Amino acid sequence: ENYGAENQNWDISQASNKFIYVANNEGLLEFNGEEWQLYPTPNETIMRSVKCFEDKIFTGFYRDCGYWEKNEFGNLEFNSLVLENTIEMLEDEQIWEISELDGWMIFKSLQRIYLYNLKSKSLKTINANKNITKLSRVENTIYYQEIDKGIFMIENGVPKLISDAKILKENKLVDVFYK
């Protein structure tokens, strides 16, 4: 009732202006500390991920991802990286996680990782044969697990296998932490 959207939220992020952004079943929720504003997902699907970085709000959902920017009236408008880069997304592909590292926005679906360079606007894709589990940023490195293959790190935009130990190939990794 308070925010005027569905009751299920998937992700949350805070912008530098202290606004809160929430990935909701109906779209992107913006909270300025007093009022909620709903921006419906452009393709009317469930929004799964959100990450604020600099003056943009990056989001991911069913077969699309991109960023929102304020227009001259203060309303958010969506820019699709899928359309801009003519990405052929997989059937039923959804963007579940977004991270940032060294000027790259990293979007993770279950089968792919998309690396978007904020300066050059170039895009790289990492494909997996099996499902990709949780994307983890530890200090200045991104790690992920590909089921049945092991743990990888992303180095210069390329996956690098760092462990194919049996326990890591046969079990699902939940997260990676710095000790």
Side-chain angles (χ1 to χ4, degrees):
E1 287 179 27
N2 286 340
Y3 56 72
E6 289 290 324
N7 64 358
Q8 190 167 19
N9 299 309
W10 294 91
D11 203 4
I12 187 168
S13 187
Q14 186 173 23
S16 57
N17 65 359
K18 306 297 182 201
F19 282 27
I20 300 290
Y21 292 91
V22 180
N24 178 272
N25 275 4
E26 282 198 18
L28 179 64
L29 283 168
E30 175 186 67
F31 183 63
N32 65 9
E34 185 177 336
E35 297 176 329
W36 290 94
Q37 173 73 40
L38 173 65
Y39 293 92
T41 309
N43 61 9
E44 299 179 357
T45 62
I46 296 170
M47 189 163 291
R48 301 290 188 185
S49 53
V50 61
K51 173 75 173 168
C52 298
F53 185 72
E54 295 178 346
D55 62 342
K56 294 177 175 64
I57 298 94
F58 292 86
T59 59
F61 41 95
Y62 177 78
R63 301 196 75 191
D64 207 349
C65 61
Y67 58 92
W68 302 76
E69 286 184 299
K70 296 262 183 188
N71 63 20
E72 64 272 15
F73 304 108
N75 294 317
L76 290 173
E77 291 182 349
F78 182 70
N79 299 281
S80 171
L81 295 176
V82 170
L83 292 177
E84 284 178 23
N85 294 280
T86 56
I87 298 169
E88 186 66 38
M89 293 195 78
L90 302 171
E91 186 177 335
D92 292 331
E93 188 173 13
Q94 299 189 55
I95 302 299
W96 289 95
E97 293 180 70
I98 305 170
S99 190
E100 182 277 332
L101 182 65
D102 296 333
W104 291 83
M105 293 308 296
I106 303 157
F107 300 86
K108 184 197 83 67
S109 72
L110 295 178
Q111 301 87 12
R112 290 180 175 165
I113 296 173
Y114 299 95
L115 304 137
Y116 176 70
N117 187 291
L118 295 167
K119 287 186 179 140
S120 69
K121 300 188 186 295
S122 63
L123 188 86
K124 297 180 181 183
T125 304
I126 296 173
N127 293 295
N129 295 326
K130 300 279 186 161
N131 280 357
I132 299 170
T133 63
K134 179 94 173 111
L135 194 68
S136 300
R137 179 180 170 171
V138 179
E139 294 186 326
N140 289 321
T141 305
I142 298 288
Y143 297 95
Y144 69 93
Q145 176 190 36
E146 186 175 341
I147 300 296
D148 295 337
K149 284 196 172 179
I151 305 298
F152 292 81
M153 66 185 282
I154 300 174
E155 189 173 75
N156 299 319
V158 178
K160 179 181 177 184
L161 181 67
I162 60 169
S163 179
D164 62 354
K166 185 177 179 182
I167 193 168
L168 296 173
K169 289 168 61 174
E170 295 177 353
N171 295 284
K172 192 179 224 180
L173 185 70
V174 177
D175 212 339
V176 177
F177 299 95
Y178 179 73
K179 182 178 177 184

